[in-house]
Amino acid sequence: MEVQSRTEFSVPDGDAGQRLDRYLRKVLPDVPLSRIFRLLRKGAVRIAGRKAAGDLRLEPGVRITVEISPEELHAAPPASPGKGGGLRSKVGVIYEDEDLLVLDKPAGMAVHPGTGTPAGTTLIERVQQELGVAGSVFQPALAHRLDRGTSGVVVVAKNRRTLLEVQKQIQEHTAAKEYLALVVGIPDRPSGTVKDRLERVDSRDHGAKSIVVRGSERGVEAETRWKVRRRFGGHALLEVRILSGRMHQIRAHMASIGHPVAGDDRYGTARFPGLKRPFLHAARLGLRLWGREVHFESPLPPELEQALQRLEVP
């Protein structure tokens, strides 16, 4: 029989207004986040004798009671497999609740295991280890993907309901996905749409890639909408929205109209000085979840900001 103990906390003035679930993560640093959420769901966290919800905003001086076993209270955090430490040492957390974990993925990190990717180093493996969900029925899952070389907003679903809902909105094009891309050359109009089929092929030099297929039923339909945000001497910064989610879609579509993404050595030929990755960043994602609109944003990472600064120098 599991022995439970009662742990109490009094909220100091400096933590007033904070969400209860985030406050519990602070005062229970050795307890896995997944366990904190289970404690909240089953009513093991109480304020004034009543079951408290995780999104409750705390008032100064209130007393929080948590029923938890001594072993869990002082357990060591799970060790991360592979190289490089835990998830939060590598990936920024934009938002988190019981349903979602929204991350700011760095360029260079693969999202899923694949050929040539060391075990334990991908984003989803780090997420599953960090949340301590080994053996559970539902494993946290990515609701969409980003290329290894693309940075920015990526959504992890913590339960099947959320996974299906986010995937449905992405498939039905009701999710607002916006990217920032620096392209070579300046388009001759302020905005445009590329609506050409894409076919996945294997390239001897670059491995798998997508090519544009025009005037044929081969490949899959893909639509990319772009708008010029800023113009430089020989480059343009674009806001890009995709109405489908095909492999390398933005990179292949922009290259097909003569404006490859800067730094993209797979679809372009001109390297960008000082940039070792494509200038492509998932900047914003908007969803409608459980009756409310949610928006997540990721600022340009330092290496992309520095690339723009170099273009501004006369």
Side-chain angles (χ1 to χ4, degrees), residues 123-138:
L123 185 144
I124 192 58
E125 289 172 305
R126 290 178 182 273
V127 166
Q128 291 173 350
Q129 178 63 27
E130 186 85 1
L131 296 183
V133 293
S136 66
V137 175
F138 180 84

Side-chain angles (χ1 to χ4, degrees), residues 188-217:
D188 58 5
R189 57 186 188 276
S191 62
T193 299
V194 184
K195 195 173 183 179
D196 287 313
R197 290 177 176 268
L198 294 175
E199 179 181 8
R200 178 169 175 165
V201 300
D202 288 322
S203 165
R204 178 176 298 178
D205 296 329
H206 296 292
K209 65 183 295 186
S210 291
I211 60 171
V212 170
V213 181
R214 294 192 174 102
S216 170
E217 292 303 312

Side-chain angles (χ1 to χ4, degrees), residues 6-74:
R6 177 175 295 178
T7 301
E8 294 188 350
F9 305 95
S10 181
V11 178
D13 291 347
D15 288 318
Q18 190 171 172
R19 283 173 54 119
L20 173 59
D21 51 7
R22 295 179 183 175
Y23 180 72
L24 290 175
R25 289 181 60 189
K26 176 182 176 181
V27 297
L28 300 173
D30 295 336
V31 179
L33 180 61
S34 57
R35 177 56 175 157
I36 289 176
F37 285 144
R38 285 197 294 272
L39 290 170
L40 288 164
R41 284 196 297 271
K42 74 178 188 179
V45 181
R46 294 180 173 269
I47 294 178
R50 296 183 178 180
K51 177 181 176 180
D55 60 357
L56 176 70
R57 296 289 177 177
L58 297 174
E59 297 181 1
V62 300
R63 297 193 65 81
I64 303 169
T65 302
V66 182
E67 297 286 346
I68 187 171
S69 69
E71 292 77 14
E72 287 183 304
L73 184 60
H74 301 293

Side-chain angles (χ1 to χ4, degrees), residues 227-296:
K227 179 172 65 174
V228 176
R229 174 184 278 195
R230 295 175 62 188
R231 294 175 176 82
F232 301 90
H235 296 77
L237 182 65
L238 307 182
E239 292 179 5
V240 184
R241 293 180 180 269
I242 56 175
L243 298 188
S244 45
R246 312 306 181 193
M247 177 181 175
H248 301 172
Q249 177 176 328
I250 295 174
R251 297 161 64 187
H253 268 172
M254 297 313 300
S256 75
I257 62 172
H259 297 291
V261 174
D264 187 353
D265 60 0
R266 180 168 295 194
Y267 292 92
T269 56
R271 296 181 178 273
F272 192 93
L275 196 59
K276 298 180 180 180
R277 52 162 292 194
F279 194 122
L280 184 60
H281 180 68
R284 297 177 187 84
L285 177 64
L287 300 165
R288 183 170 181 81
L289 294 176
W290 327 137
R292 64 190 180 97
E293 300 283 346
V294 291
H295 298 272
F296 310 111

